[in-house]
């Protein structure tokens, strides 16, 4: 896809990503925003996602994000949806989807069936940011664009450690860091550094986790009471599921936190023998083979029982 060609004649452009934005979502929205500002001088471009966590404040012009989802524009010539496998992931930005002149979808989730007027979905790309770098014209990429895209690559690959890293990921990363931003600082401050609350939540989740299916599965949960007691937000729980997965012998890790009474946000991580995207899709969620998520109602035990069956079926078939 030639992104700039697709946007020819578009005077108003909305850029959005998914609810509870992660590093790849924030990086891809900001990278695209900064790139299009360089390339299209006359267009009005609106980046719109929930307000990113404060550790991302260093990204140039991040304050331009309309975290309140408000804008004077009622209809956009182009709607660019990033890092989201289905339109229900856009949160309040979804109200601009149907009326938009053109819907452009750029994503790397295997569960994305390409629901735009123009869609680029590449499940082999480590991150939406990696995919975007290949779509951007070099002459409009500057250090600020490169820095934003780098954030997404780093976050979705666990700092270039996960199996979604390909030779292409490293080529792209190498080109990105050649722009000269302070990448060790980005890694430390946005990926490894944790607040006291985040460490407390991680500690509790690890201590209270339960192994089952002969140690092949691990599950842990944080309920609303605990979150309220510590003053923790969903953002403070990111990364816990990955740490659970690092338990030796574990094939599938499940981490869930209570959104509402009897409603859980569920995160799944797999070593590769179990396709968790398949399981997540069954419960109206999505993701990748080794990392997926969904929202489910029911008690903790309902969720675990349902998931155990799905996981056992795949493990037995393996
Ligand atoms: P998480 O467990 O939230 O870190 O998400 C793991 C992967 O699954 C990410 O790529 C998410 O975009 C995707 N994902 C998580 N929750 C959902 C959901 N409710 N619907 C679709 N995809 C999801
Ligand atoms: Mn994401
Ligand atoms: Mn992503």
């Amino acid at each position: 896809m030639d992104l700039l060609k697709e946007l020819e004649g578009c005077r108003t452009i909305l850029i959005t990503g998914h609810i509870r934005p992660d590093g790849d979502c924030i990086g891809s929205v900001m990278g695209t925003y900064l790139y299009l500002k360089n390339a299209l001088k006359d267009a009005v471009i609106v980046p719109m996602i929930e307000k990113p966590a404060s550790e991302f404040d260093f990204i140039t012009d991040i304050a331009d994000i309309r975290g309140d989802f408000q804008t004077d524009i009622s209809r956009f010539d182009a709607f660019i949806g990033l890092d989201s496998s289905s339109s229900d992931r856009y949160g309040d930005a979804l109200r601009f989807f149907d009326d938009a002149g053109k819907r452009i979808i750029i994503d790397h989730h295997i569960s994305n069936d390409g629901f735009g007027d123009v869609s680029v979905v590449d499940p082999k790309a480590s991150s939406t940011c990696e995919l975007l770098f290949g779509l951007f014209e070099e002459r409009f990429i500057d250090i600020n664009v490169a820095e934003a895209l780098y954030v997404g690559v780093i976050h979705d690959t666990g700092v270039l450690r996960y199996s979604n890293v390909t030779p292409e990921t490293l080529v792209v990363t190498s080109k990105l860091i050649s722009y000269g931003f302070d990448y060790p600082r980005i890694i430390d401050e946005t990926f490894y550094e944790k607040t006291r609350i985040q460490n407390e939540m991680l500690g509790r989740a690890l201590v209270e986790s339960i192994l089952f299916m002969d140690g092949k599965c691990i599950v842990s949960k944080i309920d609303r009471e605990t979150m309220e007691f510590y003053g923790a937000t969903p953002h403070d729980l990111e990364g816990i599921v990955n740490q659970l997965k690092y338990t030796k012998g574990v094939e599938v890790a499940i981490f869930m936190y209570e959104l509402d009474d009897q409603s859980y946000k569920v995160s799944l991580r797999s070593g590769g023998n179990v396709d968790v995207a398949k399981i997540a899709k069954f419960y109206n969620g999505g993701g990748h083979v080794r990392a997926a998520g969904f929202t489910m109602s029911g008690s903790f035990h309902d969720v675990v029982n349902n998931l155990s069956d799905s996981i056992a079926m795949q493990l037995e078939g393996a």
Side-chain angles (χ1 to χ4, degrees):
M1 182 192 50
D2 185 336
L3 181 61
L4 295 180
K5 199 151 191 194
E6 292 295 342
L7 291 171
E8 244 166 37
C10 292
R11 300 178 61 86
T12 53
I13 301 168
L14 180 83
I15 307 170
T16 192
H18 58 80
I19 49 169
R20 295 186 289 271
D22 55 16
D24 190 31
C25 175
I26 296 162
S28 56
V29 166
M30 286 310 299
T32 305
Y33 173 60
L34 296 167
Y35 171 77
L36 292 181
K37 277 211 299 183
N38 289 342
L40 310 170
K41 296 289 179 206
D42 297 326
V44 178
I45 308 166
V46 179
M48 187 182 277
I49 46 172
E50 285 163 38
K51 191 179 182 320
S54 58
E55 61 261 31
F56 297 101
D57 282 352
F58 69 92
I59 297 175
T60 305
D61 291 343
I62 197 154
D64 290 355
I65 286 179
R66 309 287 168 90
D68 57 2
F69 292 86
Q70 297 305 312
T71 168
D72 295 338
I73 301 165
S74 55
R75 182 193 165 278
F76 285 87
D77 294 332
F79 179 110
I80 304 180
L82 302 170
D83 197 40
S84 308
S85 52
S86 54
S87 61
D88 59 349
R89 301 272 291 149
Y90 295 141
D92 284 347
L94 178 62
R95 71 182 196 278
F96 298 106
F97 186 77
D98 284 338
D99 284 348
K102 181 181 264 183
R103 288 159 284 261
I104 299 174
I105 303 303
I106 303 170
D107 185 30
H108 68 126
H109 291 93
I110 198 163
S111 52
N112 189 324
D113 49 24
F115 55 93
D117 300 308
V118 191
S119 307
V120 180
V121 179
D122 182 0
K124 289 191 300 303
S126 68
S127 49
T128 302
C129 283
E130 177 187 325
L131 187 52
L132 284 168
F133 183 79
L135 296 174
F136 287 179
E137 286 183 32
E138 202 179 326
R139 63 195 164 122
F140 298 120
I141 300 177
D142 59 18
I143 184 171
N144 300 327
V145 173
E147 187 176 51
L149 294 182
Y150 179 80
V151 169
V153 176
I154 286 307
H155 277 253
D156 263 19
T157 60
V159 193
L160 303 174
R161 282 177 304 140
Y162 300 156
S163 62
N164 59 357
V165 172
T166 65
E168 178 62 13
T169 313
L170 297 179
V171 169
V172 169
T173 308
S174 139
K175 288 181 180 160
L176 289 174
I177 65 171
S178 74
Y179 284 85
F181 50 82
D182 186 355
Y183 60 87
R185 198 187 118 214
I186 294 176
I187 293 173
D188 277 353
E189 292 184 5
T190 73
F191 196 85
Y192 286 110
E193 203 172 274
K194 299 288 173 202
T195 62
R196 172 75 184 163
I197 291 175
Q198 287 166 341
N199 278 334
E200 283 170 332
M201 302 312 287
L202 172 65
R204 275 198 71 139
L206 293 179
V207 167
E208 291 170 10
S209 65
I210 300 163
L211 281 168
F212 62 107
M213 286 171 66
D214 292 332
K216 288 198 176 65
C217 291
I218 192 165
V219 63
S220 194
K221 75 156 178 0
I222 300 278
D223 55 30
R224 264 194 312 174
E225 239 174 41
T226 310
M227 288 177 74
E228 277 160 22
F229 178 80
Y230 286 92
T233 65
H235 173 63
D236 295 322
L237 309 177
E238 278 168 23
I240 291 178
V241 68
N242 298 314
Q243 203 54 50
L244 288 167
K245 175 66 192 61
Y246 280 125
T247 311
K248 204 169 170 65
V250 162
E251 191 54 46
V252 177
I254 307 166
F255 175 70
M256 43 204 274
Y257 65 86
E258 210 177 354
L259 289 166
D260 269 314
D261 238 4
Q262 299 281 299
S263 164
Y264 286 94
K265 156 76 197 177
V266 183
S267 286
L268 303 173
R269 295 295 183 270
S270 150
N273 285 333
V274 173
D275 178 350
V276 288
K278 218 172 181 176
I279 298 174
K281 201 155 186 187
F282 181 77
Y283 295 106
N284 292 318
H288 316 274
V289 172
R290 291 168 183 252
F294 60 95
T295 304
M296 191 171 181
S297 49
S299 71
F300 172 71
H301 291 285
D302 291 337
V303 176
V304 175
N305 282 337
N306 284 323
L307 284 177
S308 305
D309 290 345
S310 314
I311 294 166
M313 261 183 339
Q314 284 201 40
L315 279 177
E316 281 156 19

